[in-house]
Amino acid sequence: MQVIIPDASIITAAVLKSNPKIKQKSSKFLTQVRKQEFFLEAPHFLKLEFANATRFYFKDYGLILKSLSLFAKLPIKFIELKPKTINEAAKISYKFKTSVYDAAYHALAIQRSVTFLTADKKYFNKTKELDNIKLIS
């Protein structure tokens, strides 16, 4: 089964349907996940990034809790980043002038020889030469 490492932009768009430009594709993504067409893995901090996104997306705390509940049901295997992966993320971050957070998803995908899926066009355009990255737009 194919492994995908989605970043917070993908998960947020899929669960919250927050990005009209990728709403259809992110809904298809969730359907594929539910049908087990591929397996999701992500760094542990995805949980915090998603919680942070919901905090700023919704004004109602009850809606935040509902979204967090939906997120918790996603079949994501959370990976503890090893120092080698963090070092590679920092290297990518410096080279391409990105956040270490964004680069960590990418570094994990590169090291595991899987696909990093993002909706972050700016990050994608800066780092697409590294491979192991796909833009959903």
Side-chain angles (χ1 to χ4, degrees):
M1 183 184 305
Q2 181 184 7
V3 174
I4 300 285
I5 296 177
D7 66 4
S9 68
I10 291 293
I11 298 298
T12 301
V15 174
L16 304 181
K17 297 178 176 58
S18 61
N19 187 332
K21 293 180 183 178
I22 64 167
K23 184 176 179 179
Q24 183 179 3
K25 289 185 180 181
S26 62
S27 292
K28 181 181 176 187
F29 167 77
L30 274 186
T31 300
Q32 290 173 306
V33 169
R34 288 187 188 109
K35 289 182 178 180
Q36 298 181 342
E37 292 181 21
F38 45 79
F39 188 72
L40 300 179
E41 294 182 356
H44 279 283
F45 62 82
L46 172 62
K47 297 172 191 178
L48 285 174
E49 284 197 295
F50 181 80
N52 190 59
T54 62
R55 186 264 177 256
F56 289 100
Y57 187 74
F58 293 117
K59 304 292 184 223
D60 182 323
Y61 179 65
L63 293 175
I64 293 170
L65 292 179
K66 184 177 177 181
S67 295
L68 291 173
S69 177
L70 290 172
F71 172 81
K73 292 176 185 174
L74 291 175
I76 302 172
K77 177 182 176 185
F78 291 100
I79 308 289
E80 187 66 39
L81 296 182
K82 296 181 179 172
K84 179 181 176 183
T85 308
I86 296 169
N87 291 346
E88 183 63 22
K91 181 179 174 183
I92 291 169
S93 173
Y94 274 95
K95 181 175 181 178
F96 296 99
K97 296 178 178 44
T98 68
S99 76
V100 174
Y101 288 109
D102 290 340
Y105 292 101
H106 203 164
L108 183 62
I110 291 167
Q111 288 182 349
R112 297 185 48 74
S113 297
V114 299
T115 301
F116 166 44
L117 187 62
T118 185
D120 185 339
K121 195 171 188 173
K122 283 176 65 174
Y123 180 86
F124 176 82
N125 286 334
K126 289 180 180 182
T127 62
K128 62 186 172 191
E129 70 185 60
L130 295 177
D131 293 327
N132 295 78
I133 186 169
K134 184 177 178 183
L135 177 69
I136 186 171
S137 59

